[in-house]
Amino acid sequence: APRWNGEPLEGKTLFVWGEQGHGDVMQFVRFVPLIAERVKREGGKLIYCCFGNLLPLLKRSLGGVADTIIAHDHRPLPVFDYHLPLCSLPLTLGVTLQDLPLRSGYLKADPDKVRAWRERLPDDGKLKVGLVWSGSRTHQRNSRRSVKPAEIAKAFGGIRGVEFFSLQVGADGEVEQAGQAGLRLIDHTEEFATYDDTAAFIENLDLVITVCTSVAHLAAGLGVPT
């Protein structure tokens, strides 16, 4: 199907798909309600396609604005007349910095999961801070954005009145290295099966400090100071 360039959508179906990485999707999904409003106004239908591990979070956050939301591995694909990559929405819709929609708080965590974590985490009056020090290990430029655990420990070790939580999935060894360097990290990441789980945990934090990776967009999209 051809790329959509603003053609009339009456009786047509537009397929918006999330290319690039998870962070890009969470940053640009705020524009889906804008395109959904236009499609509906013109009498068309909207299908939004996203990564499977983001599906529960984005279905809840978008609140049914799209006619259909599917995972990227859904086969066969539904029939559509036009397609548009998600990150092209601002250009196609003519969005500028002056009318940038939903600067924060447009992602919605599962309230039951949020409550469950709230009951488990200590209520001791300390500031709860989540840390991420690396992006995807397979990213070709990850070495330029990742920080060594020892450097994290040097920056934050010894600060009183703060509990630090690891948001770095699959980093048991690095959590241990940070501890040996003087920074105690509480690590629940083995319970994070999808971004929905991570989102619910982040909702219980006061602050997230992260390198440039998907968690930055997730936390800020939730409205958590980042």
Side-chain angles (χ1 to χ4, degrees):
R3 179 188 174 106
W4 184 63
N5 292 304
E7 292 88 348
L9 290 169
E10 182 177 0
K12 304 291 185 181
T13 298
L14 175 64
F15 183 81
V16 174
W17 55 282
E19 87 281 26
Q20 300 189 51
H22 292 86
D24 301 281
V25 170
M26 286 184 276
Q27 183 180 9
F28 283 82
V29 74
R30 73 180 77 181
F31 300 105
V32 171
L34 290 183
I35 188 62
E37 181 182 345
R38 176 165 174 177
V39 172
K40 184 178 180 180
R41 186 172 62 246
E42 294 189 10
K45 289 185 177 181
L46 175 66
I47 299 171
Y48 173 53
C49 178
C50 68
F51 294 115
N53 56 1
L54 285 173
L55 192 61
L57 174 66
L58 298 187
K59 269 191 171 182
R60 183 185 316 107
S61 301
L62 291 173
V65 298
D67 294 282
T68 307
I69 300 179
I70 61 173
H72 73 293
D73 56 356
H74 181 100
R75 294 295 184 274
L77 288 177
V79 176
F80 52 91
D81 300 286
Y82 300 103
H83 81 90
L84 187 68
L86 177 69
C87 295
S88 295
L89 278 173
L91 174 65
T92 307
L93 293 170
V95 175
T96 66
L97 285 175
Q98 285 66 41
D99 54 11
L100 185 68
L102 303 170
R103 292 176 181 270
S104 67
Y106 55 86
L107 296 178
K108 310 295 180 186
D110 183 327
D112 293 332
K113 291 183 178 182
V114 172
R115 191 179 308 110
W117 278 116
R118 185 182 303 126
E119 293 171 354
R120 288 179 57 185
L121 295 180
D123 185 16
D124 52 12
K126 292 183 178 180
L127 194 73
K128 294 179 175 62
V129 179
L131 295 179
V132 178
W133 52 88
S134 175
S136 171
R137 312 290 184 179
T138 59
H139 195 286
Q140 65 267 33
R141 291 187 297 277
N142 192 53
S143 61
R144 298 186 181 184
R145 61 176 175 175
S146 59
V147 180
K148 294 177 180 176
E151 295 173 327
I152 290 285
K154 183 178 180 181
F156 301 119
I159 298 178
R160 296 182 179 180
V162 179
E163 285 181 319
F164 289 100
F165 296 84
S166 171
L167 299 176
Q168 193 75 53
V169 176
D172 296 355
E174 292 178 328
V175 168
E176 186 177 345
Q177 289 173 30
Q180 292 171 350
L183 177 63
R184 174 179 176 266
L185 285 170
I186 302 171
D187 187 6
H188 295 287
T189 56
E190 63 179 14
E191 299 182 55
F192 299 170
T194 70
Y195 279 95
D196 220 22
D197 299 315
T198 310
F201 189 88
I202 287 175
E203 280 277 18
N204 286 281
L205 300 178
D206 300 297
L207 175 68
V208 171
I209 300 174
T210 172
V211 297
C212 182
T213 188
S214 59
V215 177
H217 302 295
L218 174 60
L222 291 165
V224 175
T226 307

